[in-house]
Amino acid sequence: MPQLLNPVKRPVALGDLVYASLQQYLRSGAVAPGQPLQEVHVAEMLGVSRTPVREAMMRLASQGLLNADGRSFSVPELTLADVDHIYEVRFLIEPEALRAVAAAAADRAVRAPIDEALVAAVAAHKANDADAFREAAAAFRVAWLALVPNPRLVRVVEQYSDHMQHIRATTLGDPKVRWIVLKGLKQTAMALAKGDGAAAAAAMHENLRQAKKAFIRASGLDKDVA
């Protein structure tokens, strides 16, 4: 009997690669709200044709991460109502997602990437390195999200976190804000080390509350509060 052939591994589609690249670009805060992002320029930067770029941009627009205006796109300029709505969703899903992984995270080996990211965040804060701190905080999020068994839940958490991508660029340059974020990371890591889902959820809720306050203040939206 002839030996069975191994399945051929399909390469990642170009459109998905372009989407992932654009998503990471937006997450970095490199594009300011309202700044035009034209598909011709993006295609030139990525070295691809305009078609996969437009498809990726339309995909991001459908998720609310870009505004579409003809062949030009831009990062949405959030209103106070937008921020309230986004955080309403985040308050509902992120603490519960973290609660669900607490038991698994009590295992030191499972928790290792989370602890490593926390160590990096502490070092970055001491060095007053805002860029390194942003990377460490992002790595912390990636590490605990990797433990969430529901991929649909992960996508929703990532999507609504991405809506606030500019919080990293506009607030984490402030050492006082970094200290608040670091305190939240420490409390979250401590709760996960104990396998305490309730404490982990509470720490995440407080971290999100502080992040919302910092974004509103940094973006000047606090002036819209009566």
Side-chain angles (χ1 to χ4, degrees), residues 10-19 52:
R10 297 182 180 180
V12 179
L14 179 59
D16 290 336
L17 289 174
V18 171
Y19 170 81

Side-chain angles (χ1 to χ4, degrees), residues 88-170:
E88 182 179 5
V89 176
R90 296 188 70 184
F91 284 140
L92 288 172
I93 61 175
E94 292 188 39
E96 293 309 309
L98 196 61
R99 185 196 301 271
V101 305
D107 185 318
R108 180 176 296 180
V110 172
R111 197 178 64 253
I114 297 173
D115 291 340
E116 290 170 6
L118 179 59
V119 169
V122 171
H125 181 64
K126 287 182 178 178
N128 197 30
D129 189 335
D131 289 336
F133 188 88
R134 277 191 286 270
E135 292 176 4
F140 189 95
R141 169 174 289 277
V142 169
W144 74 258
L145 274 177
L147 302 180
V148 177
N150 184 339
R152 290 178 174 81
L153 179 56
V154 171
R155 285 197 294 273
V156 174
V157 170
E158 290 178 335
Q159 178 180 342
Y160 280 89
S161 174
D162 283 349
H163 278 288
M164 306 306 300
Q165 63 238 359
H166 286 88
I167 192 170
R168 292 183 285 272
T170 59

Side-chain angles (χ1 to χ4, degrees), residues 193-205:
K194 296 177 181 178
D196 188 337
M204 174 57 73
H205 191 280

Side-chain angles (χ1 to χ4, degrees), residues 7-29:
V8 175
K9 293 184 178 179
R10 297 182 180 180
V12 179
L14 179 59
D16 290 336
L17 289 174
V18 171
Y19 170 81
S21 295
L22 274 173
Q23 185 182 52
Q24 190 59 40
Y25 187 53
L26 294 175
R27 283 175 176 173
S28 72

